[in-house]
Amino acid sequence: MKIALGLGCDRNTPLATVKAAIDQALALCQASLDDVNAVASIDLKADEPALLQLAAEQGWNIRFYPAQELAQVDVPNPSETVRKHTGTPSVSEAAALLAAQPNTPNTPNTPDKTNLIIEKHRHRGLDGRNATVSIARIPE
């Protein structure tokens, strides 16, 4: 199974907290890091140290979407709190769904929320910081 991760976190969340959130979410859907083919977040996180370090360690390219693009994705768990802080009601779910879209011509560019296999998994680390992971299936 090929999957896409959508990631969100508090500013300056330690790498260990982000990794723990990802490990938990992957375990919930019986997937592994080897199944990850796409990773995404909001452009506000393009300079987030933990996300950049994780990408470097795993050899991942992270796609960072603008809030306006994320806000157009229909998700199961929109949040007004997230909207207040980021300009979009969803970061991790919307980013996972966008990243899971096939990059082929003639493919509808509206993400299918039925591809979301892990909705907004939240983890609060011992450091008090929060990380959120959503996982979407990448259609064959």
Side-chain angles (χ1 to χ4, degrees):
M1 172 174 56
K2 293 181 181 180
I3 57 174
L5 302 181
L7 304 175
C9 63
D10 292 338
R11 179 58 67 189
N12 295 316
T13 296
L15 179 60
T17 297
V18 175
K19 282 183 172 180
I22 291 170
D23 289 344
Q24 291 168 3
L26 289 171
L28 288 171
C29 65
Q30 300 177 343
S32 73
L33 290 172
D34 292 336
D35 299 315
V36 177
N37 280 39
V39 182
S41 190
I42 190 168
D43 60 2
L44 294 172
K45 297 294 177 184
D47 64 348
E48 189 64 43
L51 297 186
L52 298 176
Q53 187 176 348
L54 180 65
E57 286 180 8
Q58 295 298 324
W60 293 337
N61 290 320
I62 299 182
R63 173 121 187 235
F64 294 99
Y65 294 98
Q68 181 179 3
E69 191 171 351
L70 293 170
Q72 294 178 24
V73 179
D74 183 26
V75 296
N77 300 290
S79 166
E80 285 307 311
T81 301
V82 172
R83 183 192 310 269
K84 182 177 119 182
H85 293 287
T86 66
T88 176
S90 173
V91 173
S92 70
E93 289 179 335
L97 287 168
L98 285 172
Q101 291 188 118
N103 293 326
T104 56
N106 305 321
T107 300
N109 60 1
T110 304
D112 180 357
K113 70 179 174 183
T114 64
N115 287 326
L116 203 59
I117 55 177
I118 297 294
E119 298 177 5
K120 202 182 211 176
H121 174 77
R122 292 178 217 142
H123 172 72
R124 184 177 185 91
L126 296 175
D127 47 58
R129 302 287 184 168
N130 298 293
T132 306
V133 179
S134 297
I135 301 176
R137 179 182 309 102
I138 298 174
E140 294 294 326

